[in-house]
Amino acid sequence: EDMSCRDVLEVLGWLLFTTMSTQTRLRGGVSYGEFYAEPENEIYVGSSIIEAHELEQAQEWSGVALAKSAANRIPERTSTGVRFQWWVCDYQVPLKSGKGNTCSNLAIDWTQGIHPNFDIKWANSHPEPTEAEKIDNKFGYDKWKNTLRFHQEVCLTCFPSNRGKD
């Protein structure tokens, strides 16, 4: 039912928000569809699981995107403040070249977590990468930059000018 789906998205939002201030940032894909689960034998089978995994692998950031199947499951979002109700926002999710053909460009809006001031540090020891780190860890650097960009383009708390987008 709708409330259960919404609860899953909200939990993902809080999980992402909590990990943004750690060195263990997450990335994920959300799909919707039938699948078979047998937890006692650790068996999970279904096209929705594969779709979610492939979407997760296609992304180039720390965040969670919804596959088209999951986006289609969400009721039409027409009221004021829709992203606060469903913890999703329209966003051009950064994808690896040629990947993510099931991406809906709906992303979990983890910026809704309460934070008066928020920095996504490169490392606990230093907030920005060194020039050597930018070169040696290009893929990690690109993902970090894309995560920062999402925060800057979506967060209403840290960037009040974003309020006009909702």
Side-chain angles (χ1 to χ4, degrees):
E1 50 188 62
D2 288 351
M3 289 305 290
S4 296
C5 291
R6 192 174 85 172
D7 289 346
V8 168
L9 299 178
E10 183 176 354
V11 167
L12 287 171
W14 280 110
L15 179 63
L16 280 171
F17 174 73
T18 302
T19 62
M20 285 300 162
S21 59
T22 72
Q23 291 301 297
T24 308
R25 297 184 189 110
L26 303 176
R27 179 181 68 209
V30 177
S31 180
Y32 181 80
E34 293 185 17
F35 68 95
Y36 175 77
E38 193 176 293
E40 60 274 4
N41 292 315
E42 299 181 5
I43 298 173
Y44 304 92
V45 182
S47 58
S48 59
I49 295 171
I50 294 168
E51 181 182 49
H53 171 72
E54 288 176 348
L55 181 55
E56 178 270 327
Q57 290 291 302
Q59 296 170 63
E60 208 162 27
W61 70 340
S62 294
V64 173
L66 277 65
K68 292 173 185 171
S69 62
N72 291 337
R73 171 59 184 88
I74 296 174
E76 188 175 352
R77 301 171 309 126
T78 57
S79 64
T80 304
V82 291
R83 76 163 129 162
F84 299 111
Q85 296 165 6
W86 281 89
W87 280 71
V88 295
C89 62
D90 294 308
Y91 192 75
Q92 188 70 40
V93 175
L95 300 170
K96 296 172 185 167
S97 181
K99 302 281 185 174
N101 61 354
T102 66
C103 188
S104 67
N105 286 322
L106 272 185
I108 298 292
D109 181 8
W110 55 264
T111 68
Q112 291 186 47
I114 300 167
H115 60 285
N117 191 1
F118 197 73
D119 288 321
I120 302 172
K121 296 180 181 176
W122 171 259
N124 288 335
S125 57
H126 52 291
E128 300 276 333
T130 64
E131 290 303 317
E133 288 172 322
K134 289 177 185 178
I135 295 166
D136 293 342
N137 191 356
K138 169 129 177 58
F139 296 113
Y141 177 64
D142 289 345
K143 289 177 186 176
W144 179 72
K145 282 192 325 186
N146 289 336
T147 305
L148 288 177
R149 185 175 303 117
F150 177 81
H151 181 242
Q152 293 167 348
E153 293 178 3
V154 172
C155 184
L156 301 177
T157 302
C158 299
F159 304 94
S161 61
N162 289 334
R163 293 183 199 279
K165 297 178 183 177
D166 193 23

